[in-house]
Amino acid sequence: MANDSKQPDRPPATAVLVHGLWMSGFQLQVLKHRLEAGGQLRVLAFTYPTVSGSMSDHVRKLLDFAHAQDVEELHFVGHSLGGLVILRALQLTDDLPPGRAVLLGPPLQGSKAAQGVARILPFGKAILGAAVNAECIDCAPNEWRGHREVGVIAGSMGFGLGRLFADLNADHDGTVLVEETMLPGAKDHITLSTSHTGMLFSGEVAEQARWFLRTGSFRRSGDVR
């Protein structure tokens, strides 16, 4: 007699989504919905006060949030400053469930735009907050030496307020230069035609993020779905 019992479906992997500067998490709803399309991911939004508190505060809260998840597979997706928070958190611990991380438009090697805001506006540093000051203005170069595979998505559609505060004289997304998103040690890096804020609403960005979380590389022409 044939055994027609059906194996239970594998539960979706969990991804923690982290927003950037001056955001509250509400702005990530479109990206969250697109990442969850197809049922392979369950996305949890992590929120934090981007201007108040230090990077250490943000990292500690993210790690507490991540450790509270009772899952076998845990990914991370972070936009802008959120990508830096993720990177710092992953540099501090190796005891989280396995998974990958995708950073969207992260100013990993400092930020000319942030430096311009701090220099030009009377209360520029206060507006940016302690974390951005530490990570994007008074900062050292970043690199990745951890075991978790990290992918970085940069934008090249140069529309954004960053151009008002700095001479972004190379490819950029309106806020962050492509060269500022480079991360030695990252598994993969790709540049897409999108602006910094536009990443949150881009179907292509969401597809590339899902592809990396599933395969460990970004999708290039000829890759099979």
Side-chain angles (χ1 to χ4, degrees), residues 68-133:
Q69 308 309 317
D70 184 16
V71 296
E72 295 182 358
E73 189 175 2
L74 187 64
H75 302 294
F76 293 87
V77 179
H79 176 246
S80 196
L81 176 61
L84 287 170
V85 176
I86 289 171
L87 191 69
R88 289 287 177 251
L90 296 179
Q91 287 171 334
L92 287 181
T93 184
D94 205 21
D95 64 351
L96 291 171
R100 299 185 173 100
V102 176
L103 314 181
L104 311 177
L108 295 163
Q109 306 302 335
S111 168
K112 286 186 176 180
Q115 291 161 10
V117 170
R119 184 179 66 252
I120 295 171
L121 297 184
F123 301 101
K125 285 194 172 184
I127 292 170
L128 294 170
V132 171
N133 280 286

Side-chain angles (χ1 to χ4, degrees), residues 25-162:
F26 173 79
Q27 301 87 348
L28 302 180
Q29 289 304 307
V30 172
L31 178 58
K32 179 180 184 294
H33 176 75
R34 285 182 164 149
L35 289 173
E36 290 181 329
Q40 295 179 331
L41 276 179
R42 178 179 71 111
V43 178
L44 305 175
F46 169 78
T47 63
Y48 63 106
T50 62
V51 175
S52 63
S54 65
M55 176 58 79
S56 295
D57 296 331
H58 306 332
V59 166
R60 185 179 64 253
K61 290 176 182 177
L62 176 58
L63 287 175
D64 288 346
F65 184 85
H67 281 120
Q69 308 309 317
D70 184 16
V71 296
E72 295 182 358
E73 189 175 2
L74 187 64
H75 302 294
F76 293 87
V77 179
H79 176 246
S80 196
L81 176 61
L84 287 170
V85 176
I86 289 171
L87 191 69
R88 289 287 177 251
L90 296 179
Q91 287 171 334
L92 287 181
T93 184
D94 205 21
D95 64 351
L96 291 171
R100 299 185 173 100
V102 176
L103 314 181
L104 311 177
L108 295 163
Q109 306 302 335
S111 168
K112 286 186 176 180
Q115 291 161 10
V117 170
R119 184 179 66 252
I120 295 171
L121 297 184
F123 301 101
K125 285 194 172 184
I127 292 170
L128 294 170
V132 171
N133 280 286
E135 297 292 330
C136 300
I137 298 174
D138 304 316
C139 58
N142 266 311
E143 61 179 317
W144 174 242
R145 296 182 179 180
H147 299 297
R148 188 177 296 255
E149 293 178 334
V150 175
V152 181
I153 298 178
S156 62
M157 186 179 291
F159 300 121
L161 294 177

Side-chain angles (χ1 to χ4, degrees), residues 79 155-160 172-174 192-200:
H79 176 246
S156 62
M157 186 179 291
F159 300 121
H172 61 90
D173 63 9
L192 303 178
S193 180
T194 182
S195 68
H196 194 68
T197 302
M199 290 183 181
L200 302 178

